[in-house]
Amino acid sequence: MKKLFRNMQEGRAISFIYLFVLAYTILALVWWGVLLFNQSEQITRFEIQNLVLRTDSIAHPVEYHQELTRIQTTEERRSVMFFGEGLIFLAIILLGGFFVYRAIWKQMRLSQQQQNFMMAVTHELKSPIAAAKLNLETLRKHKLDEDKRLKLLDNTIRETNRLDQLCNNILLASQMESQRYQLFREDMDFSSLLENGVKEIQSRISTHTIQAHILPDVWVNGDKFMLQILLSNLVENAVKYAPRNTRIDVCLEECNNNLLKLKVTDEGPGIPADERERIFLKFYRIGNENTRKAKGSGLGLFLSRKIVQQHGGTIVVKDNIPAGASFEISWPVYSIQRV
């Protein structure tokens, strides 16, 4: 918490210094303009005084008025030139200031997201390690009956699976960012993969009911491992935010507009409309890392969109009626096969 507060103070200080320098530069430009206009007026007055001294306006009225007109025209041209140059310099300063501030703001936001990621990952790593360690120490120190021993072993395996998934997400995010991961495509029974995936997730999640509505005998050409991660990330994301003892639906259907659609819906609080694009950014999580209750690293949805895009599909978030969120993935029908 102290580190977060210190970062906020540093961010405010940087913003204040930047705005001060920008304001000083603009004021200096304005002052430079005022000085130039004053100098132009002084030059004009000096030229008019010289004109009066060397020309008899009564004896030579035509020459006098011609020279006076020239002096005034010259002053007007100088004023237009000064004003135009000032506007151009001001536009360059403001445009440059905008891009610099946007770059600084993006860097500060990325730094904050990375810090949130480190805080979340530290917690996510410590929790399964501590649980597995406690279970193993209990097994070593106490003679338990067979049912209790198997229960502790199952819990330990569940925690190690959770740890394994987190490590996979971190590794895949790194590989996808550097474009080092290559899909291992193969023809697979997508319906069977989803059904087995839902059963496996339900076996280790007792807080929610996960129901599958899967169109049978749908085959796709894709990366089996990545599609398993996609399903796991979307369902576990729903588990994090939906209230306990609510239902999560996994639905695979073929739509009339020649699309195959996979939907994962929950009965949680939903996602605000202004957050529905940002949740797919790396490290991004809604809210503050120190106050939010839901666990997570901010990588699950980022990986989900990457996996969907690599398989030629699109993913969007919609409202689930009457409450909750619905993640909908669409593939064109030509990319699937029906047996």
Side-chain angles (χ1 to χ4, degrees):
M1 187 69 181
K2 290 182 179 179
K3 187 174 182 180
L4 178 62
F5 181 71
R6 185 169 64 252
N7 288 341
M8 292 175 61
Q9 287 183 320
E10 291 176 356
R12 292 194 185 101
I14 292 173
S15 298
F16 175 77
I17 294 173
Y18 174 80
L19 292 175
F20 174 79
V21 172
L22 181 62
Y24 177 82
T25 305
I26 293 174
L27 289 175
L29 176 65
V30 172
W31 179 245
W32 169 78
V34 171
L35 291 178
L36 284 179
F37 278 111
N38 288 338
Q39 186 182 45
S40 178
E41 291 179 358
Q42 290 175 1
I43 292 173
T44 300
R45 285 198 299 268
F46 179 75
E47 289 181 344
I48 292 175
Q49 289 175 358
N50 286 339
L51 176 64
V52 171
L53 292 176
R54 72 172 187 267
T55 305
D56 188 350
S57 60
I58 299 176
H60 308 282
V62 175
E63 294 180 4
Y64 175 82
H65 286 293
Q66 287 179 345
E67 187 65 18
L68 181 63
T69 302
R70 184 193 65 77
I71 294 173
Q72 293 174 343
T73 302
T74 302
E75 182 188 13
E76 291 176 358
R77 289 176 179 175
R78 280 199 303 265
S79 299
V80 172
M81 181 183 69
F82 294 156
F83 189 75
E85 290 179 350
L87 285 180
I88 292 174
F89 288 148
L90 179 62
I92 292 174
I93 291 172
L94 292 177
L95 187 62
F98 167 75
F99 284 113
V100 171
Y101 185 77
R102 188 176 67 169
I104 294 174
W105 183 78
K106 283 185 176 180
Q107 186 61 36
M108 291 173 60
R109 186 180 64 177
L110 178 61
S111 176
Q112 183 62 51
Q113 289 175 352
Q114 290 175 337
Q115 180 184 339
N116 290 344
F117 169 73
M118 293 303 299
M119 294 171 62
V121 166
T122 300
H123 179 74
E124 289 285 295
L125 289 173
K126 289 178 66 176
S127 296
I129 291 174
K133 182 180 179 181
L134 178 62
N135 291 340
L136 293 175
E137 287 180 347
T138 302
L139 289 171
R140 185 180 64 177
K141 293 180 180 180
H142 303 281
K143 292 183 179 180
L144 304 175
D145 58 51
E146 188 66 14
D147 290 340
K148 291 183 179 179
R149 190 178 69 85
L150 290 176
K151 184 177 180 180
L152 284 177
L153 287 174
D154 289 340
N155 289 338
T156 303
I157 293 174
R158 183 162 55 248
E159 293 298 333
T160 54
N161 286 337
R162 176 181 160 193
L163 187 60
D164 180 63
Q165 182 183 5
L166 177 61
C167 292
N168 285 335
N169 282 348
I170 296 173
L171 178 61
L172 284 173
S174 175
Q175 291 178 337
M176 285 185 173
E177 283 290 278
S178 59
Q179 298 182 345
R180 288 182 296 167
Y181 186 87
Q182 298 295 326
L183 293 180
F184 180 73
R185 289 184 174 273
E186 58 180 325
D187 292 333
M188 72 184 78
D189 187 343
F190 193 42
S191 301
S192 178
L193 182 143
L194 293 177
E195 290 174 353
N196 293 334
V198 169
K199 290 178 182 178
E200 189 274 331
I201 296 172
Q202 183 68 88
S203 67
R204 55 188 172 87
I205 294 177
S206 59
T207 56
H208 297 74
T209 300
I210 306 173
Q211 293 189 356
H213 312 276
I214 308 299
L215 184 69
D217 301 325
V218 175
W219 285 64
V220 300
N221 181 268
D223 189 313
K224 182 177 181 180
F225 175 64
M226 300 293 277
L227 292 175
Q228 288 173 335
I229 290 179
L230 171 64
L231 175 65
S232 179
N233 283 344
L234 291 178
V235 173
E236 293 197 4
N237 181 75
V239 169
K240 290 174 188 176
Y241 295 98
R244 295 171 66 92
N245 301 320
T246 57
R247 191 180 72 188
I248 297 171
D249 291 313
V250 179
C251 177
L252 179 68
E253 59 187 8
E254 187 174 339
C255 302
N256 294 330
N257 52 354
N258 294 325
L259 290 177
L260 178 72
K261 185 167 290 187
L262 172 64
K263 295 192 293 186
V264 178
T265 59
D266 61 63
E267 298 175 358
I271 299 174
D274 58 344
E275 298 278 3
R276 292 180 183 177
E277 279 298 318
R278 288 183 289 212
I279 59 174
F280 293 106
L281 299 176
K282 187 170 66 171
F283 304 140
Y284 186 82
R285 299 184 68 212
I286 299 175
N288 185 283
E289 199 64 45
N290 294 283
T291 57
R292 67 168 61 91
K293 297 180 180 179
K295 302 176 182 179
S297 61
L299 290 177
L301 294 179
F302 166 77
L303 286 175
S304 297
R305 170 172 275 188
K306 287 287 186 181
I307 293 171
V308 170
Q309 290 174 343
Q310 287 183 335
H311 285 80
T314 58
I315 180 171
V316 296
V317 186
K318 297 181 179 179
D319 290 325
N320 182 33
I321 307 299
S326 176
F327 287 81
E328 298 186 4
I329 302 169
S330 301
W331 287 279
V333 172
Y334 66 79
S335 66
I336 68 171
Q337 305 173 33
R338 289 292 307 276
V339 178

